Amino acid sequence: MLQLKRLPWSTAAVALKVVIALFGILLCYQAYTFYGEWSWPKSFSRGTSQDPLSLIHPHGGSRCLPSLNSSLLLEAKTIRNACQHMAPYPSSDVRIGRVTAHFGSVQEHYQKALSTHVLHSMIHNNDLEVMCTPVVDSLWNKPAFILSLLLKEMVKPAQERLEWLFWVDRDTLILDQCRPLSSFLSPRDDDESDETEDTDTSESERRDETNPDDIHLLVTNDWNGLNNGVFFVRVNQWAVELFSDIAAFRYYRPNVSLPFTEQSAMEIIMNESKFKPNVRVVPQEWFNTYPKGSPTDFVEKADEDGLKDYHARRGDFLLHFAGRGGRDKLINEWAEMLEGTRSIWPKEEVQRNATKSIRGFWSGL
C-alpha cells in the first residue's frame, strides 16, 4: 500500500510562513489598488492619513452611525470619479464641518439618511460631527452641540480650525452628491482660507454689512418663518456669542413664547441688532428643499407644473422632510431611489441648477 511521507516539521513551518506572507502581500495589494487610485480632494492634505473614515466623528458613542464598510468606501470612490466627469466644480480649500444629531433609538430610515451625508463627506473631504447621545433635553441639544464644537474649534490656531459649520437635521437626504458645500459660500472664503487670522468681530469693528466677509450665517425661511433644519454658520467669536444666547434663551426669557422651541429662539436672537447685519436669508431651493410627490415623480416628471420654488427638482442639493408624518416610509422610499441613481443626473435631465443664483447673490453684495 502506497504511503505518503510526512514533511519534516521545519519544512511545513516554512511552507506555512510562505503562504501567510503571500496572503499578506495580496491584502496589501488590494488595499493599494483601492486607496492608491482614490482621487483625493485638493484639501485632503489637512489629514495625516488618507483614510476617508477618519472624517467621521461620533460623539457619545457610535451606535447611531450607519455601517462604515468597504462597500461604502467603494461607493464614494465611484461617485467621486463620476462627478469629476459630469459636474465639475472648482477645487476648494475651505475647511467645512458638517454637523448633525442622531440620538435616541436607532432607526433604519434615519441611518439611511445619514449614509447620504457620510458619502458626501467622504467624497468632498468634509468632517462629519454626529451627536449620538443627548446632553440636554429635546431639541435644545442642537444649539448646545453646535456651541461645543465652536468652542473646540476656536481654541485651535486659526489656520487649523474649521471655517464653517453646516448643520443638517436628521430627516435630510443629499440629492446631489457632486455639489460641494463650498459652492454655496463666497469665493472669497476660498481665496483667504490659507490666510485666516484671528479677528475681533465686535459691533464697532465690523466692516460694511454687504462685505461677504461679514456674513456669518446663511439660513432659509419657509411659510413658518425661519427653518433651521439646514444652515451654514461661520466659525468665529460672533457665532459663539450667537449660540450662547440661543442656548440660554429659555432661562433668561422664560415668558417668551417659543412655538418651535430652539428654532423660535434662534429666529428671535438672530434678528436682534447685535446679530442681524451678519445674517442672510438665502433662497430655500439652494440647500433646503421639501418633497412634492413620490420619488418616482421626482425621477420621471418632465415638467415643473404644480411645483413651488421650495419643492425638490432634479439638480437640487438636499431634501428635507420638515414637518412630514410617516418619515420612515418616505425616507426609505427616497433613499432607495437615490441608491439606484447614485444622486447623479445627466445634464439634460437636470431641472434646476442653483449655481447661477448663488453666484449672483455673492457678486451682488
Side-chain angles (χ1 to χ4, degrees):
M1 183 176 178
L2 180 63
Q3 292 184 344
L4 296 176
K5 293 183 178 180
R6 292 185 178 180
L7 290 174
W9 169 248
S10 59
T11 303
V14 170
L16 180 61
K17 290 179 180 179
V18 170
V19 171
I20 293 174
L22 289 174
F23 183 69
I25 292 171
L26 178 61
L27 288 178
C28 290
Y29 174 75
Q30 289 179 330
Y32 171 78
T33 56
F34 180 82
Y35 288 105
E37 293 177 4
W38 182 283
S39 180
W40 297 104
K42 176 182 174 183
S43 57
F44 201 86
S45 58
R46 219 166 28 95
T48 58
S49 168
Q50 290 189 337
D51 178 8
L53 295 182
S54 67
L55 298 167
I56 316 303
H57 309 137
H59 298 257
S62 59
R63 61 190 297 268
C64 70
L65 295 182
S67 178
L68 304 177
N69 51 37
S70 58
S71 63
L72 193 66
L73 290 169
L74 181 60
E75 182 75 359
K77 175 185 174 182
T78 301
I79 294 175
R80 176 168 171 74
N81 289 340
C83 289
Q84 289 179 326
H85 298 290
M86 298 185 64
Y89 288 92
S91 60
S92 173
D93 283 328
V94 180
R95 299 181 295 277
I96 307 171
R98 186 188 321 247
V99 186
T100 189
H102 283 251
F103 50 81
S105 60
V106 176
Q107 300 180 61
E108 181 185 14
H109 59 288
Y110 285 135
Q111 288 200 316
K112 288 182 179 180
L114 182 55
S115 290
T116 69
H117 292 285
V118 171
L119 268 177
H120 192 267
S121 294
M122 292 195 299
I123 291 168
H124 298 282
N125 188 42
N126 299 128
D127 289 338
L128 173 57
E129 310 290 342
V130 186
M131 185 185 206
C132 294
T133 301
V135 294
V136 293
D137 56 299
S138 187
L139 298 175
W140 293 96
N141 281 282
K142 180 190 293 188
F145 186 40
I146 293 173
L147 179 59
S148 71
L149 294 174
L150 288 169
L151 293 171
K152 178 182 176 182
E153 291 300 316
M154 287 297 290
V155 298
K156 297 178 182 178
Q159 67 274 15
E160 295 180 12
R161 70 176 67 132
L162 294 172
E163 297 168 86
W164 287 86
L165 298 181
F166 178 60
W167 172 271
V168 289
D169 278 359
R170 66 176 180 171
D171 58 344
T172 60
L173 295 165
I174 296 296
L175 293 175
D176 180 1
Q177 291 287 352
C178 293
R179 178 179 286 279
L181 297 180
S182 58
S183 69
F184 295 104
L185 304 176
S186 166
R188 292 187 58 168
D189 285 296
D190 190 56
D191 294 339
E192 299 174 2
S193 62
D194 294 326
E195 302 175 2
T196 306
E197 297 180 357
D198 286 310
T199 57
D200 182 3
T201 56
S202 62
E203 187 73 28
S204 62
E205 294 187 26
R206 289 178 188 147
R207 290 171 288 177
D208 186 274
E209 66 179 20
T210 60
N211 190 314
D213 294 340
D214 289 330
I215 296 178
H216 306 323
L217 182 66
L218 296 175
V219 296
T220 63
N221 285 345
D222 63 14
W223 52 87
N224 289 315
L226 172 70
N227 181 279
N228 74 344
V230 189
F231 60 86
F232 284 89
V233 61
R234 195 188 294 271
V235 177
N236 58 15
Q237 180 184 334
W238 182 94
V240 171
E241 294 175 4
L242 174 73
F243 281 93
S244 295
D245 286 4
I246 294 170
F249 188 94
R250 56 178 172 162
Y251 300 111
Y252 290 95
R253 304 188 196 179
N255 297 323
V256 176
S257 174
L258 300 175
F260 300 105
T261 59
E262 47 76 36
Q263 177 173 277
S264 298
M266 181 172 177
E267 184 168 25
I268 293 170
I269 293 294
M270 76 180 202
N271 281 306
E272 293 183 344
S273 59
K274 177 181 178 180
F275 298 108
K276 189 173 183 178
N278 308 99
V279 178
R280 286 296 180 276
V281 178
V282 299
Q284 188 176 351
E285 58 266 27
W286 279 19
F287 50 72
N288 194 14
T289 62
Y290 297 167
K292 170 73 172 180
S294 69
T296 301
D297 296 331
F298 177 81
V299 173
E300 298 179 355
K301 189 173 177 59
D303 55 51
E304 300 181 41
D305 292 347
L307 298 180
K308 303 288 187 182
D309 286 344
Y310 57 81
H311 286 141
R313 295 156 170 79
R314 294 188 299 275
D316 286 339
F317 176 64
L318 180 146
L319 186 68
H320 186 191
F321 296 90
R324 296 294 296 267
R327 284 190 183 95
D328 53 348
K329 182 175 183 293
L330 286 171
I331 291 177
N332 281 330
E333 290 175 349
W334 281 85
E336 182 179 356
M337 178 274 292
L338 292 173
E339 288 173 4
T341 63
R342 284 184 168 158
S343 308
I344 300 174
W345 302 102
K347 187 175 181 180
E348 62 274 12
E349 295 184 20
V350 170
Q351 294 175 304
R352 180 164 58 191
N353 185 338
T355 298
K356 184 176 180 180
S357 173
I358 296 168
R359 289 176 178 171
F361 169 81
W362 290 110
S363 64
L365 295 177

